[in-house]
Amino acid sequence: MAQLTNVGFRLFEIFFNTYGELRKDYLNNLKSILDSSGSAVKSIHPFTSGFESMMFFSDYDSRFTDSLDFYRKYFEAAGRLGAGILVLHGQRDYLYSTLSEEEYFERYALLFEAGRRCGIQVAQENVNRFRSEDPGFIRRMREYLGESCCFVFDIKQAVRAGKDPFEMCSAMGDRLVHIHLNDNNGKSDCLLPGDGTMDYARLMKLLDEFGYSGDFIIEVYRKSFPNLDHLLDSRHFVEQLVK
């Protein structure tokens, strides 16, 4: 974190990796680093994303209730850091599930409401191999829940799932609150913005059409860039893009 703030990054999404990182002392230290550089956290990402199928989208009702209680710890952590969004992956291996779409929507709505009460938006991300990989599902979710839902759009996840990223973005429409920016080409689906063939001009036009007013977070893997200079070049690209 300090390495990034030292070179001028000021807006972050925090990926928690273990329960200990939800402790107050850890969060206070992280907040101190952010405050000392004038930085802010936009969103958080649970380390339990891979377990959300079992936690929220199974037929075990008491586990759902307990999991809601557990996610309040994330809401508290987000509030302590000043973040307003929790990124949700949702249900994996959905093709083998007996849970209907309507049941999924209703479970999500309870989680969304629990977050809302804590001042946090629980935002469904489009994720490869998860139920949310399908633009049709996302569109039906928005139509069913109306203002009781919101979304995170990740370009690489749409490409990885073999879906049209522009169709996915359109499906989220005016309930889109957060964007993970990355790039792709014929060889890789996770490059720094500006390093691939993504049609960002088309994306920005689409976002303008439904009045997107959220932020843009560069989200790639550590192997996606050789050094900080490369990352800084991409930041400059994004800054020019969103002006």
Side-chain angles (χ1 to χ4, degrees), residues 119-133:
I120 306 300
Q121 291 180 298
V122 177
Q124 173 72 68
E125 183 180 18
N126 63 293
V127 185
N128 180 38
R129 296 184 181 179
F130 283 70
R131 202 160 198 163
S132 58
E133 70 178 356

Side-chain angles (χ1 to χ4, degrees), residues 77-114:
R80 188 171 292 273
L81 293 175
I85 294 172
L86 178 143
V87 180
L88 183 80
H89 281 192
Q91 185 185 25
R92 184 170 178 151
D93 297 329
Y94 62 97
L95 295 175
Y96 306 101
S97 173
T98 59
L99 194 76
S100 70
E101 283 194 354
E102 289 76 14
E103 288 173 313
Y104 184 103
F105 300 155
E106 294 294 341
R107 297 279 185 90
Y108 166 87
L110 292 172
L111 185 54
F112 182 87
E113 176 61 19

Side-chain angles (χ1 to χ4, degrees), residues 9 11 155 179-183 191-195 198 200-201 203-204 207 212 214-220 230-243:
F9 285 92
L11 185 67
I155 297 170
I179 294 177
H180 291 159
L181 277 186
N182 33 71
D183 214 326
L191 301 171
L192 281 172
D195 282 358
M198 178 67 186
Y200 285 108
L203 176 62
M204 298 307 295
L207 294 174
Y212 178 72
D215 293 303
F216 299 83
I217 295 289
I218 297 173
E219 187 188 282
V220 295
H230 198 183
L231 189 58
L232 288 169
D233 288 342
S234 184
R235 185 185 72 183
H236 178 71
F237 173 84
V238 173
E239 288 171 343
Q240 296 304 306
L241 182 71
V242 302
K243 274 187 178 180

Side-chain angles (χ1 to χ4, degrees), residues 48-65:
T48 46
S49 290
F51 301 105
E52 286 168 353
S53 292
M54 180 183 69
M55 296 172 77
F56 297 113
F57 303 105
S58 75
D59 57 1
Y60 206 91
D61 291 342
S62 61
R63 185 166 60 219
F64 174 82
T65 302

Side-chain angles (χ1 to χ4, degrees), residues 25-93:
D25 57 339
Y26 183 92
L27 294 169
N28 288 340
N29 181 59
L30 189 56
K31 188 68 165 60
S32 178
I33 295 173
L34 292 162
D35 289 347
S36 66
S37 62
S39 299
V41 177
K42 172 72 175 186
S43 48
I44 67 164
H45 199 290
F47 67 88
T48 46
S49 290
F51 301 105
E52 286 168 353
S53 292
M54 180 183 69
M55 296 172 77
F56 297 113
F57 303 105
S58 75
D59 57 1
Y60 206 91
D61 291 342
S62 61
R63 185 166 60 219
F64 174 82
T65 302
D66 289 345
S67 297
L68 274 181
D69 288 338
F70 182 76
Y71 264 51
R72 290 187 179 94
K73 297 182 186 298
Y74 287 119
F75 301 153
E76 293 169 3
R80 188 171 292 273
L81 293 175
I85 294 172
L86 178 143
V87 180
L88 183 80
H89 281 192
Q91 185 185 25
R92 184 170 178 151
D93 297 329

